[in-house]
Amino acid sequence: MTVALFVPCYIDQLYPDVAIATLEVLERLGVDVAYPDGQTCCGQPMANTGCETDTAPVARRLVDLFADFDAVVCPSGSCVSMVRNHYAAYFDAEDAKFQHVTSKTYELCEYLHDVVGVTHLDVKFPHRVSLHQSCHGLRELRLGQSSESMTPRENKVRKLLNLVDGIEWVEPDRPDDCCGFGGTFAVNEADVSAEMGRARIADHCDKGSEVLASADMSCLMHLQGLIRREKNPIQVMHVAQILSGRPLGAA
Amino acid sequence: MKPTLADTDARQGILDRINTKHVDIPPLPDVDVDRVIQFDQPIEKFVEMLAMVGGQAHQVESQGEVRALLEEIDVFRTATRIVSSAPESIAGTIDATQIEDPHHLSTVDWTIARGEFMVAENGSIWIDGDTLPHRVLLFIAQYLAIVVPRSQIVSNMHQAYERIDNFSARFGVFVSGPSKTADIEQSLVLGAHGCRKLQVFIVDDL
Amino acid sequence: MLPIVQHPAAAKEFVNDPNRSRWHDQALWFVRSKRDKQAASLPEWEYLRETASGIKTHTIANLSHYLQEFERNATARGAVVHWARDAEHHNEIVLRILHDHKTKRIVKSKSMLTEECGLNHFLEDNGIDVVDTDLGERIVQLRGETPSHIVLPAIHIKKEEVGDTFHEHLGTDEGASDPKYLAEAARGHLRDKFLAGEIGITGVNFAIAETGGLVVCTNEGNADLGTSLPRVHIACMGIEKLLPRQRDLGVFTRLLARSATGQPITSYTSHFNGPRDENSELHIVLVDNGRSRLRESETFRAAMHCIRCGACMNTCPVYRRSGGHSYRATVPGPIGSVLSPTRDQNSYKSLPYACSLCGSCSDVCPVKIPLHHQLLAWRGELVGKKLLPVSKRLSMRCASYLFRFPALFRLVGQVGRFALRVLPRWATHNRLNVWTIARELPEPPKESFHQWHRRHRNH
């Protein structure tokens, strides 16, 4: 069984260490990982702007590229949700390749939790950590229970991080309020977006968190931009980096 | 006022537009009563919820105890204009059946009303409009007291609507606590337009 | 034609005043937290949502049948049922009833439908004295504003501002801002208005087809006072407010107040079956105003399930920080951003983008409207109608092109990262790069993952 690593465009270009950490975690757990050449983007920026005709060819490329693999794993809930929940608009429902890729694409934590069934990780992270739950991971992929929903769900991201030695959890007041990234929203509604992000950072900082961790680097790119500008005493890290044993400050 | 020709046209226009677009009709779901909350101690739940919504419950054995408890309340002792639909518990000072224009009830201090039954989950009481000479009495009095039999209680609103499935009165209301508002900075203030306070007497032998 | 709403610009002043936007955000989060507590108190919460959604889906599909059944039964109980095509027609019908009774003064309880129809202005222009009796609505009416929230009309106004308004209009003490004192003053002021009101106008929360009855829910008791003194009650409702059976209210009365304000039920849940007595009148105005058209859309039909609880506003992180007026629409927030473009796509085209697609609204909605998916669907419709600015369409066209050619993507990435490293800060962090107005750009790495992988894994 070969798993294809799907590296989102912005992670490839701006946060390569997140992809490296993802690859290392998977390899260490004995997963046979391939990195198919020629990957770019899932098409979400265009899709979320409503530009469907610009999305379609990008979506078809992705499906063609990954169709021959047993599964696809990606360290970004948002991109996985795009493939799983929104690709139907661009394919014939009967299209076998589409059916395969859309049903076999996993977010990293989801794959480790549901498919690999990880119970042990030999890594340490002796720090105060707070979790930023990305909206798409939470409400589109259901990696945990959103605070509005009364349907009990286990929190897969947190469960995985609990396998890491030394993490001291810090709880923000609002467990899953949006950080305000939202793709092009961050630029279209720049004022509101920044205010949303500042509120998240303040909530995590006030509780004494050293590391704001998330399974979605896009949220963290936005939050990190604000943290650096306002010189807040907190750092961001992708969950994959913590799971792979990176020290504090790797992002 | 009779509808005009334009109104008749509007009616037909709206219905035609709806009828032109056929939409598949899924079945109308019913609530499975086994899947909704029920309380082993509904009276306790009712009392707890009534307190939460700003009302006060008094559990008494007989109607005779109602007056004594009301007399402990300053604004009752000083009240002069009282209308009662539960004369067995407490007599009124005004006979509202003799008043034709509800505007003349604007100075009523207290209304004592009869409740048909309680709903435990939300502290509400169903009042049948036919038990009142004027429905405004529930809303215009400065203070409201409701007398309700202890035996008459349901756990939830599904059971409540089962009970009133064929109620024929022109008016009926679930009252849950006194009137209230939080329209100024989300600060809860009791006594918006209706009663300032609500006393509920849960009577054993009613 | 309506002016074009630019949400980002309309929100700017509110969001950039931290005293205002953070206070507003906290107030609404408080309401949402109360809702969470109430929802969690019922193990059947999600089952109720599912059932409510099923009842609404059934009713809207079979709407013609239920409207006629309602009309028949309401008429049999002595009510007069009117049908209004649109807002203007609705307003004319109401004015005609007022003229028939030679009425000059009316008392109104909260009705988002009459806000949608602009009834107050219309009646005032026709010489009618209109008094909104919901405290929040009275505050905004005295201030010459509109509600900024469908359940909490004055949520954007601070108590000191209410104090100023009441000092001016009701003669309260100057500088007084205690909510209890102000509410008491309003009680006295509005009592007089209630006693002087010649006709009471209310909205409708639910109309029951099998009984022809109406249900109105309030906390203040204003709908009840307003309709139990005058002889004439006019109830205005959208055609989507119907429920087939009285027992369906069991589901909806359990969901409404819990979702709206975190109360287990409203203080008063009043059931009106026909007029008060033989000498009274009940007029029910059924209003279409675009609803039958909305029903035709497979994508947006579920928006007709809305019971106007406002939970999507309380939970929306954009609404909480930009304030209800930034939507320039009767119904703001997520549901408003779905509904407003159905009225005028061009005017409201920025609203579906005033959303980070966080999805909290869809999870909180008591009738399970897939709000964030509908907002996304709107974006596709707007682009299809060429209503997105050319600059944005063009940038997406370019991005699409870039992502179709991996070699080009890598080249542009490499050049971009190089530029970020070598260019002086003023060239990358300036007003033209909107990202950098409040944020730093990421520190560009020397190599992409693709390059790293070639060096380390490709043997």
Side-chain angles (χ1 to χ4, degrees):
Chain A
M1 165 147 166
T2 307
V3 165
L5 176 64
F6 163 32
V7 177
C9 50
Y10 69 98
I11 289 183
D12 175 51
Q13 290 296 321
L14 298 170
Y15 297 98
D17 188 61
V18 172
I20 298 168
T22 303
L23 182 64
E24 287 175 2
V25 170
L26 289 167
E27 286 177 342
R28 234 179 273 161
L29 289 162
V31 180
D32 177 20
V33 191
Y35 175 63
D37 201 11
Q39 42 182 299
T40 55
C41 170
C42 64
Q44 195 178 186
M46 292 80 83
N48 284 0
T49 308
C51 297
E52 288 156 7
T53 50
D54 296 321
T55 314
V58 179
R60 280 196 291 272
R61 270 197 86 247
L62 186 137
V63 165
D64 283 340
L65 200 64
F66 290 119
D68 295 333
F69 293 90
D70 298 305
V72 183
V73 175
C74 168
S76 164
S78 198
C79 305
V80 172
S81 169
M82 176 68 194
V83 175
R84 188 181 299 167
N85 300 320
H86 301 281
Y87 264 23
Y90 310 102
F91 295 88
D92 190 80
E94 309 292 308
D95 185 327
K97 280 185 178 178
F98 155 69
Q99 281 294 349
H100 176 72
V101 172
T102 195
S103 62
K104 291 289 175 191
T105 298
Y106 298 89
E107 189 275 334
L108 172 66
C109 297
E110 188 181 39
Y111 187 78
L112 295 177
H113 181 276
D114 295 354
V115 183
V116 179
V118 185
T119 55
H120 179 76
L121 285 170
D122 193 18
V123 290
K124 278 198 182 69
F125 195 71
H127 299 286
R128 289 192 306 279
V129 179
S130 53
L131 191 59
H132 170 72
Q133 314 202 67
S134 89
C135 298
H136 288 175
L138 204 58
R139 301 193 183 87
E140 296 249 305
L141 300 181
R142 303 294 180 190
L143 299 181
Q145 180 179 353
S146 65
S147 56
E148 312 83 20
S149 169
M150 299 300 142
T151 304
R153 288 185 176 91
E154 54 184 355
N155 193 312
K156 297 173 185 178
V157 181
R158 189 180 285 253
K159 259 182 86 181
L160 280 173
L161 284 171
N162 279 337
L163 300 175
V164 176
D165 241 17
I167 288 184
E168 185 189 330
W169 285 112
V170 172
E171 307 299 339
D173 287 339
R174 301 187 189 180
D176 53 15
D177 209 12
C178 177
C179 70
F181 173 65
T184 51
F185 174 84
V187 177
N188 279 337
E189 290 268 4
D191 295 323
V192 178
S193 164
E195 188 55 23
M196 285 163 69
R198 282 186 207 107
R200 289 294 78 232
I201 294 162
D203 192 1
H204 288 256
C205 282
D206 288 351
K207 308 300 171 303
S209 170
E210 293 171 82
V211 182
L212 200 161
S214 174
D216 242 313
M217 202 60 217
S218 53
C219 307
L220 294 182
M221 175 167 72
H222 158 69
L223 293 172
Q224 187 186 50
L226 288 162
I227 289 168
R228 286 196 178 142
R229 173 66 56 90
E230 308 201 353
K231 303 192 167 44
N232 301 118
I234 194 167
Q235 304 191 33
V236 301
M237 276 179 86
H238 191 278
V239 168
Q241 295 174 305
I242 298 177
L243 295 178
S244 71
R246 296 280 193 278
L248 183 64
Chain B
M1 189 196 100
K2 291 272 172 291
T4 65
L5 190 62
D7 299 343
T8 319
D9 283 354
R11 179 185 187 279
Q12 206 49 52
I14 293 167
L15 290 174
D16 284 350
R17 179 142 202 175
I18 296 172
N19 289 330
T20 313
K21 172 69 186 180
H22 173 79
V23 178
D24 286 337
I25 304 172
L28 178 59
D30 271 308
V31 173
D32 177 355
V33 288
D34 293 334
R35 291 184 67 178
V36 300
I37 203 162
Q38 303 238 20
F39 304 101
D40 296 334
Q41 308 284 336
I43 294 281
E44 278 66 28
K45 185 70 189 177
F46 174 84
V47 171
E48 174 199 330
M49 295 312 286
L50 181 63
M52 187 186 139
V53 298
Q56 283 161 295
H58 310 270
Q59 302 188 50
V60 297
E61 282 178 15
S62 71
Q63 296 192 70
E65 294 170 50
V66 172
R67 174 170 280 279
L69 285 166
L70 278 174
E71 293 287 357
E72 289 174 18
I73 301 170
D74 286 346
V75 288
F76 184 81
R77 272 200 311 278
T78 56
T80 55
R81 299 174 62 82
I82 301 167
V83 176
S84 176
S85 298
E88 307 83 3
S89 298
I90 196 155
T93 61
I94 298 170
D95 182 359
T97 58
Q98 299 303 310
I99 291 172
E100 198 173 327
D101 183 352
H103 289 84
H104 295 150
L105 295 164
S106 66
T107 55
V108 168
D109 298 315
W110 278 79
T111 292
I112 320 292
R114 293 173 52 91
E116 300 303 311
F117 62 91
M118 299 167 273
V119 185
E121 70 160 319
N122 53 29
S124 71
I125 300 141
W126 172 252
I127 295 179
D128 185 320
D130 280 353
T131 60
L132 293 157
H134 292 282
R135 68 175 70 153
V136 78
L137 283 166
L138 290 175
F139 313 104
I140 206 160
Q142 297 294 324
Y143 299 93
L144 179 64
I146 301 173
V147 181
V148 62
R150 187 180 177 90
S151 58
Q152 302 302 306
I153 186 160
V154 297
S155 277
N156 58 55
M157 292 303 287
H158 309 292
Q159 295 167 325
Y161 278 105
E162 219 168 277
R163 270 196 70 147
I164 57 170
D165 203 26
N166 46 13
F167 96 99
S168 56
R170 290 169 182 267
F171 182 74
V173 58
F174 287 102
V175 175
S176 170
S179 84
K180 52 182 89 73
T181 181
D183 274 344
I184 302 174
E185 282 203 12
Q186 280 299 297
S187 300
L188 181 67
V189 179
L190 301 184
H193 296 302
C195 62
R196 297 170 182 277
K197 284 196 171 149
L198 172 69
Q199 311 293 333
V200 177
F201 294 92
I202 305 168
V203 184
D204 279 0
D205 70 347
L206 198 67
Chain C
M1 222 177 78
L2 292 162
I4 294 175
V5 181
Q6 290 298 348
H7 183 269
K12 211 173 187 65
E13 191 187 344
F14 195 94
V15 70
N16 288 336
D17 176 358
N19 282 332
R20 181 77 59 178
S21 72
R22 290 178 190 175
W23 163 83
H24 189 257
D25 165 70
Q26 282 294 347
L28 289 158
W29 187 260
F30 170 67
V31 180
R32 211 212 89 175
S33 305
K34 286 201 296 176
R35 171 265 172 207
D36 291 349
K37 232 172 129 181
Q38 277 299 317
S41 75
L42 296 183
E44 66 267 31
W45 183 258
E46 297 297 336
Y47 172 59
L48 287 179
R49 290 178 70 221
E50 191 65 47
T51 310
S53 169
I55 293 170
K56 280 289 186 183
T57 306
H58 169 92
T59 313
I60 300 300
N62 208 7
L63 192 57
S64 165
H65 166 79
Y66 286 124
L67 281 168
Q68 292 174 79
E69 185 186 355
F70 173 75
E71 179 188 39
R72 222 170 26 248
N73 289 322
T75 308
R77 286 184 182 268
V80 183
V81 177
H82 307 262
W83 300 68
R85 260 183 328 272
D86 51 25
E88 291 72 34
H89 190 198
H90 161 266
N91 294 348
E92 278 168 32
I93 290 171
V94 173
L95 184 64
R96 237 188 295 148
I97 300 171
L98 302 191
H99 280 164
D100 273 5
H101 292 85
K102 303 190 172 44
T103 297
K104 285 284 174 209
R105 283 193 299 269
I106 59 149
V107 283
K108 252 182 90 223
S109 71
K110 199 150 81 218
S111 153
M112 289 319 297
L113 179 84
T114 61
E115 291 286 345
E116 171 188 323
C117 294
L119 179 68
N120 283 16
H121 277 301
F122 174 80
L123 293 182
E124 282 159 4
D125 289 348
N126 282 280
I128 308 286
D129 179 25
V130 180
V131 177
D132 271 317
T133 58
D134 173 84
L135 176 57
E137 285 219 310
R138 187 63 181 157
I139 293 168
V140 297
Q141 190 185 28
L142 290 174
R143 292 170 65 85
E145 297 183 20
T146 54
S148 70
H149 187 289
I150 61 173
V151 172
L152 318 162
I155 190 73
H156 62 291
I157 302 170
K158 297 196 174 190
K159 59 185 181 201
E160 291 78 12
E161 295 165 320
V162 177
D164 292 346
T165 304
F166 279 16
H167 173 63
E168 184 187 338
H169 294 273
L170 313 187
T172 54
D173 296 341
E174 193 167 4
S177 64
D178 173 41
K180 217 172 154 180
Y181 168 78
L182 295 173
E184 182 63 33
R187 178 183 169 101
H189 158 74
L190 285 164
R191 274 268 157 154
D192 294 341
K193 301 288 180 189
F194 279 121
L195 290 167
E198 295 164 341
I199 284 185
I201 298 184
T202 71
V204 170
N205 289 98
F206 309 102
I208 315 302
E210 73 172 0
T211 66
L214 305 173
V215 174
V216 181
C217 306
T218 76
N219 281 321
E220 299 184 6
N222 55 321
D224 297 289
L225 259 183
T227 57
S228 52
L229 288 167
R231 290 240 165 256
V232 183
H233 173 187
I234 305 174
C236 306
M237 58 177 272
I239 53 174
E240 84 285 11
K241 291 281 173 193
L242 278 181
L243 293 178
R245 307 164 300 195
Q246 185 163 278
R247 66 172 173 278
D248 298 324
L249 288 167
V251 176
F252 288 90
T253 53
R254 299 187 83 197
L255 287 167
L256 177 63
R258 286 186 172 96
S259 298
T261 55
Q263 293 171 263
I265 192 169
T266 46
S267 298
Y268 303 104
T269 305
S270 302
H271 300 61
F272 298 89
N273 289 334
R276 195 162 80 221
D277 51 43
E278 300 72 29
N279 302 317
S280 301
E281 292 175 28
L282 170 62
H283 294 268
I284 302 168
V285 191
L286 298 171
V287 184
D288 183 343
N289 204 27
R291 287 164 175 77
S292 57
R293 193 179 62 230
L294 175 60
R295 182 179 168 278
E296 289 166 10
S297 160
E298 302 293 335
T299 314
F300 300 115
R301 183 180 308 129
M304 291 179 81
H305 296 184
C306 179
I307 56 171
R308 303 289 191 267
C309 72
C312 63
M313 289 155 213
N314 305 344
T315 205
C316 176
V318 179
Y319 174 90
R320 279 189 262 116
R321 289 180 180 81
S322 55
H325 287 154
S326 65
Y327 296 80
R328 305 278 194 264
T330 307
V331 180
I335 182 66
S337 298
V338 170
L339 292 174
S340 300
T342 66
R343 306 212 173 286
D344 185 332
Q345 296 183 356
N346 194 38
S347 295
Y348 294 111
K349 63 189 175 190
S350 76
L351 297 189
Y353 293 92
C355 161
S356 62
L357 297 174
C358 80
S360 183
C361 48
S362 305
D363 271 4
V364 90
C365 176
V367 287
K368 297 190 85 163
I369 303 169
L371 287 160
H372 76 293
H373 288 158
Q374 289 188 336
L375 289 169
L376 180 58
W378 256 126
R379 299 179 187 184
E381 299 257 330
L382 295 168
V383 171
K385 299 240 163 73
K386 302 213 182 324
L387 290 172
L388 191 73
V390 178
S391 60
K392 283 187 183 142
R393 261 186 295 153
L394 212 59
S395 64
M396 289 302 140
R397 177 72 28 98
C398 292
S400 172
Y401 194 78
L402 187 67
F403 293 139
R404 270 178 268 173
F405 300 97
L408 180 66
F409 168 71
R410 282 179 219 133
L411 177 69
V412 170
Q414 188 147 9
V415 171
R417 280 183 283 117
F418 178 75
L420 269 183
R421 278 203 307 279
V422 298
L423 285 175
R425 191 180 155 82
W426 59 262
T428 55
H429 291 68
N430 56 50
R431 302 297 294 184
L432 292 175
N433 182 352
V434 179
W435 175 272
T436 64
I437 293 172
R439 316 171 189 90
E440 293 298 299
L441 285 165
E443 282 174 6
K446 282 216 168 67
E447 59 181 5
S448 66
F449 175 74
H450 182 263
Q451 289 166 321
W452 178 92
H453 191 266
R454 265 232 295 256
R455 287 203 296 120
H456 291 84
R457 290 293 189 278
N458 277 12
H459 317 292

